[in-house]
Amino acid sequence: MFLKNKIQLTLATLLVIVSSCKAQTKETSNAKKINNQEHPSLILTKGGVEKIKAQLGTVPLFDETLAKVKAEVDAEILNGIEVPIPKDYSGGYTHERHKKNFLILQKAGVLYQILDDEKYAKYVKDMLLEYAKIYPTLPIHPQTRSYARGKLFWQSLNDSNWLVYVSQAYDCVYNYLTEKEHNLLEKDLFRPFAKYISVDNPKFFNRVHNHATWGNAAVGMIALVMDDDKLLETALHGLKKDNIDPNEKDDDGAFIKKKGQKVGFLANLEEPFSPDGYFTEGPYYQRYAMYPFLVFSEALQNVKPELKILEYKDAVLLKSINTLLNLTDADGNFFPLNDGQKGMSYYSRELVSAVDIGYYFGGKQTDLLSIAKDQGEVLLDDTGLSVAMGIRDGLETPFVKKSINLSDGKNGDEGGVAILRAEGSKEELTLVLKYTAQGSSHGHYDKLSFSYYEGGNEVIQDYGMARFVNIQQKGGGNYLKENTTWAKQTIAHNTINQNETSDFNGNFEIGNLNHSDKYLFDVSNPNIQVISATEVNAYPGTELHRTMALIKAANFENPYLLDIYKINSKTENQYDLPYYYLGQLMSTNFKYTKPDELKPLGTKSGYQHLWVEGEGKSDSGLAKISWFNKERFYSLTSVVSNKDDLIFTRIGAHDPDFNLRNDPGFMIRKKNSKDSYFVSLLESHGHYDPVNEIATNAFSNIKNLNIVFNNDDYIAISIKTENGNTSMFLFSFNDNSKTSKHQIKIEDKTYDWIGVYQLTEINK
Amino acid sequence: MFLKNKIQLTLATLLVIVSSCKAQTKETSNAKKINNQEHPSLILTKGGVEKIKAQLGTVPLFDETLAKVKAEVDAEILNGIEVPIPKDYSGGYTHERHKKNFLILQKAGVLYQILDDEKYAKYVKDMLLEYAKIYPTLPIHPQTRSYARGKLFWQSLNDSNWLVYVSQAYDCVYNYLTEKEHNLLEKDLFRPFAKYISVDNPKFFNRVHNHATWGNAAVGMIALVMDDDKLLETALHGLKKDNIDPNEKDDDGAFIKKKGQKVGFLANLEEPFSPDGYFTEGPYYQRYAMYPFLVFSEALQNVKPELKILEYKDAVLLKSINTLLNLTDADGNFFPLNDGQKGMSYYSRELVSAVDIGYYFGGKQTDLLSIAKDQGEVLLDDTGLSVAMGIRDGLETPFVKKSINLSDGKNGDEGGVAILRAEGSKEELTLVLKYTAQGSSHGHYDKLSFSYYEGGNEVIQDYGMARFVNIQQKGGGNYLKENTTWAKQTIAHNTINQNETSDFNGNFEIGNLNHSDKYLFDVSNPNIQVISATEVNAYPGTELHRTMALIKAANFENPYLLDIYKINSKTENQYDLPYYYLGQLMSTNFKYTKPDELKPLGTKSGYQHLWVEGEGKSDSGLAKISWFNKERFYSLTSVVSNKDDLIFTRIGAHDPDFNLRNDPGFMIRKKNSKDSYFVSLLESHGHYDPVNEIATNAFSNIKNLNIVFNNDDYIAISIKTENGNTSMFLFSFNDNSKTSKHQIKIEDKTYDWIGVYQLTEINK
């Protein structure tokens, strides 16, 4: 996608290149050290700096970013250097101070290069010397929660963050420092630092995991600055020895490292990314990992271009930038799949890096410039300069997010995520259907779950994670226990829960072996976009098949969402399908009672966290609820039987520390059922203007919704609107060919169609 | 405030003027009808139209508004005329259609005048003739909820809205219509319409109430168009006969009309406005009433300038515009005192009118232009033209909302509302303390309640009303029963509730006789602004005295709020003081337990609507809670005893139709207490950036808060910050002179001060 001439690079090829490169290095290293060892060379380059200097004052976005960074660093220099003895968790003073230090050090290094002002180099030098003073005698961090405690921070992960940034600072001031200072810093700080996060923490370093990616990049970056190919080799391919017990598991029940598993930076690049550039942990962690992936790759590209790291695995890294930008709502916020904190967006510094690097190295796609323009800042390096110049020259084109299917898994054959997008009368309607693999340790048990957006508003929410990142009051800013007991559980998601037990019985090891499968992704007709996927392992003996269609139809103000959930089971079960709507309930078409006292819905698997706010049943065959949120109306119309329980829930039971958000939900429960269908239609409609106090189109347009035909192979659903129009949605469950012919008879009328689905207007 | 030479105009004077004016009319009416009867003359005037036409194309804001209005009316003309037989409540089709009709008719009339395009006059004529066709045989509206049902709408109030707007349309097209058409319309539509809302509905028309104001204005406006002085007299002074039983009460328990009470437009202007321009029902209804008040006054000013209506009661109408603009938060939203729907703001059409009329007739205050600029539209008349020209010419100055005290009551001696404002590091902190009279039928039982804002964010919320105006699903868009059972009750507000009973035992008649009293309003020192008020009638035998200080102090990121609630009672009682914070609880300094099942806090007076989410006690003498909302942190630190119950609540119990918002609250309960103090300090601090995941200043700065001295006359509160600074707030309860000298001794140290309060730094 990014490179015109894609080069297939296998791991084997790379190893050969790296080896030959090492051989060369041995021969020429002395000569190179004397003649060619340039600094800076990792992110800023000598040539790049010259170019930047030549352009200063002529590239507004670059100049603005530079001024902002200068003001920030100048204020810190005035504030003075603080290198406290580590003691706090994230959110606490020492944590936040060391975090700020590495961010400022990197920026100060850049300012020294661009502005030629020695005060910045001196600041970096002085602070590094402070670190070099304390590091040799620093004990392991006193806070004990992590499986791999750091020294500056409570986890080696944060220490690695530090080194990824500080390596860049060291590179920038390298030539300012004396030989003696180099020796001191490397002996007392950088080498033991790199050793600590690798050799001393093999379970952290020798894994395929976002933690290890940071560790690998950190060691690799400092190796590049120090021109240490042996250390670089460790970064790329991991430690040769680690003594990790192949049976050892982490807190999530995942093996730390399977026997014979490849580790190191290249393996981390190989395994978690699908060929579509989807990172298996989900967008929040993809964003987090993007920085070390890209910044180390940029450094490798600059220092070791012969590695062609950016072409690795069909240029997956560059591809993944585009993927990540697609995993956002209209406001640029990432969909909070798996563990993800809401509010994280493409305005994060990691995405500024990603967009700039992607533009510069990925063929200068002009649509990235419009994202960069929104971000309002650029990297202060060659890539950022190139972006800022592109914007200055008016080259940007809109970044259009289309409906897209993203495969999961190293080879793209472990399910995926589908995003369907359709323009609405006010904003875009966006469906996210998740049918991925487990998503590693940050994965949720949410097979075939969905979330739904109108512009940047959540209509049906994914809860995200139960964590307040870096807010110390809340469990030190770390994962809260409710993340396990609630946020990861199946019932916390908008999908089927069987028998009040989560997918795979909540067993990570089993979950990690399985994935859902795509049945159909078809967006060829912009008026009827369909995603359909199956899950046959989450509940042994039960097959789940969910089909969601985003349909633009006449008589509807906005596209509507049709949700068809087919369940086949060998046994009788209870099926619960919740919809976590946001907003205030306006009306229902059925009677319900609200209890005088609230009790939890269940005792485990997340059910213990749900208050039952109301219960009802519908005799009409339909359950319709309407709600109101952010000045808009929504209606969910569901086909139900008079035996189905209709339950209103609110999150927050058994939450002793007020860690959960008290959000509402609506649940349809079918008891003692084997094969079942859940069919619902979700509308966004109307508007309320609180200044003029006028409500428009405040009612659902659906008069009736019926399953008029169903057998193992087909379903037919009739949709009748208030003005009497009827349409029929036909779907084939067992033949996903787009060319097969189908025929069914409903009440003496024959319906023929080609392909998996059809939407037909019924003339009456 | 608005007029340089204020003229004291008494009701008596006015009556004389009106009478003499009537006499003149009798003598000259025939001549006038032939020679001088101009149309339009009410809002648009012949001279004004000429001026507007001359300026077209040169005044951007006026031209833009004109283009927008033209587009809107053109679309409606294309859509065709719809005059359905009335049947719906607000939110329903016929209601919304007739509402739209009157808004469009008024606009079409204006377009006819300004654009000289007969299609607009024809549209008005055609629609009026449609109304004239149905009106004579229209029964009373079929919906029965109102005490004064209308014909076009379910209440005469809306019928009056219709006539206020349509009178303007009739005025604009008057000269386009034939004599025959005049006669038809007046005979079949306007005269019976005016009769219906006055003579046929005396309980609606002959009151002092916002309903009557609309009715009076409607009759007065059409009287002006028809040049009918007798009808005008009815509008100004009410019906001479009404047969209203002086003992008759409305739904709220208020007398419809007390014996001998003056009624009509002038009485409605006289009574509900305080000399400061505060309207006793509160800003939401002030906004609603502003339109008929101002537009009829503008019409009177134009047609009967000799009445000097805008100078009436020391120009209270013009003054009230400024008052209303001050009753808004940083986003322009009205504080939802009494019955008020959140989201209503100075962007409403009523305030566009008010600002334009206020500017034009009130001495052209240039700060109004900045509000008009924000509003982005103007009236299409002389006033709007003048505003748009002022903006075009760059005359606007900022509208600065200062701390202000607004008296309530006809004579300004029935309590009031104080607004304290102080600049914060990010946005303004705003305190609203309500110590008014009952506020007529829309009043809440919330003596000495407060709400608190940071910019446009509610920190401690006033619930507002339990109603979704014009959203039909929710009780036809009308007041919900929870407005009475919850929103009006004392416990729904941030003030003391005694013995789980509302102020005045919730008795409107008694409440309506009483008001709180100002003890001190002192904003002379911008760093320590103080409001203090007393309430001695709400709970017989108990005296309430609340003092709130908004304090800017060193070591604090933002001004903090000190809340001192002193209670003296003859009997032992239970006192509850809730704080309805918004957001998620972060931490507490005391232990609490959360129940496995939620039960309501009580059985009546609003308590039945509160779930008890948690209960605790504090042994430390302090209860501190911190919460998080909209990326900011807040902490409330309260002096408590180990016997006080600390209760976490959530609104929503006994709410069978999901009519309430499920918002949290924190309550301090003192049981079996006679004299008591509630002392709390509320901080806004810090920030959380979800993109960078950095929390700054996330903790309270208050280490300790103590009542170090108290007796009948004085209190002294020491405030100790985390860094060890201590300050002392001293306050005199029984001498509100700003010059009195005070002395108290605390632990052998003598404190002297002058005036009611003092804040002293303690050196230790």
Side-chain angles (χ1 to χ4, degrees), chain A residues 260-516:
Chain A
Q261 191 181 23
K262 290 212 170 72
V263 292
F265 187 73
L266 295 175
N268 269 294
L269 194 46
E270 181 68 26
E271 223 177 281
F273 284 101
S274 80
D276 289 333
Y278 178 78
F279 186 73
T280 194
E281 298 186 9
Y284 179 79
Y285 277 94
Q286 178 164 0
R287 177 269 327 167
Y288 186 61
M290 278 317 260
Y291 188 77
F293 273 124
L294 282 170
V295 84
F296 183 36
S297 295
E298 183 181 2
L300 283 170
Q301 182 70 28
N302 283 330
V303 183
K304 308 273 184 198
E306 62 278 14
L307 287 182
K308 299 189 178 174
I309 190 73
L310 290 169
E311 295 169 28
Y312 190 68
K313 196 177 174 179
D314 202 15
V316 72
L317 260 186
L318 295 171
K319 210 184 279 180
S320 73
I321 298 168
N322 197 52
T323 300
L324 197 43
L325 292 172
N326 269 287
L327 284 162
T328 60
D329 67 20
D331 293 344
N333 290 307
F334 294 120
F335 302 128
L337 303 175
N338 295 327
D339 286 340
Q341 180 164 275
K342 291 181 182 179
M344 182 53 76
S345 74
Y346 64 49
Y347 294 97
S348 63
R349 62 177 181 277
E350 296 91 345
L351 269 286
V352 172
S353 304
V355 167
D356 290 5
I357 293 170
Y359 178 74
Y360 186 78
F361 290 106
K364 307 219 164 150
Q365 294 201 159
T366 51
D367 57 351
L368 291 175
L369 294 177
S370 69
I371 303 278
K373 200 175 177 181
D374 281 353
Q375 290 171 335
E377 57 179 313
V378 291
L379 291 181
L380 294 177
D381 66 6
D382 307 13
T383 69
L385 181 69
S386 128
V387 165
M389 287 170 69
I391 292 170
R392 179 196 63 190
D393 300 340
L395 303 181
E396 83 263 20
T397 53
F399 189 90
V400 179
K401 297 179 212 164
K402 294 189 187 141
S403 294
I404 194 173
N405 185 58
L406 300 167
S407 65
D408 190 10
K410 179 180 174 180
N411 300 313
D413 54 4
E414 300 179 25
V417 174
I419 304 166
L420 303 184
R421 299 178 186 267
E423 272 313 303
S425 64
K426 292 178 288 278
E427 293 188 272
E428 180 186 270
L429 281 301
T430 312
L431 167 73
V432 182
L433 183 74
K434 181 166 180 274
Y435 65 99
T436 60
Q438 180 66 26
S440 183
S441 65
H442 290 295
H444 287 195
Y445 299 94
D446 61 350
K447 295 296 165 205
L448 309 187
S449 180
F450 82 107
S451 52
Y452 194 58
Y453 294 78
E454 183 167 12
N457 295 343
E458 297 172 283
V459 178
I460 302 290
Q461 72 159 329
D462 185 320
Y463 188 88
M465 65 185 174
R467 178 182 177 186
F468 297 82
V469 180
N470 292 335
I471 298 184
Q472 215 179 357
Q473 296 96 313
K474 287 293 190 196
N478 300 311
Y479 281 99
L480 299 164
K481 66 178 187 305
E482 289 79 10
N483 196 59
T484 305
T485 61
W486 166 253
K488 282 192 166 186
Q489 299 296 326
T490 303
I491 197 61
H493 299 85
N494 307 293
T495 189
I496 289 289
N497 178 300
Q498 179 179 296
N499 299 332
E500 306 191 22
T501 304
S502 285
D503 296 340
F504 311 108
N505 207 4
N507 181 306
F508 177 76
E509 199 177 331
I510 301 173
N512 214 20
L513 296 173
N514 291 292
H515 58 82
S516 306

Side-chain angles (χ1 to χ4, degrees), chain B residues 373-413:
Chain B
K373 199 176 179 181
D374 280 352
Q375 290 171 334
E377 57 179 313
V378 290
L379 291 180
L380 294 178
D381 65 6
D382 307 13
T383 69
L385 180 70
S386 130
V387 165
M389 287 170 69
I391 291 171
R392 179 195 63 189
D393 300 339
L395 302 181
E396 82 263 19
T397 53
F399 189 91
V400 180
K401 297 178 211 165
K402 294 189 188 143
S403 294
I404 193 173
N405 185 58
L406 301 167
S407 65
D408 190 13
K410 178 179 174 182
N411 300 315
D413 55 3

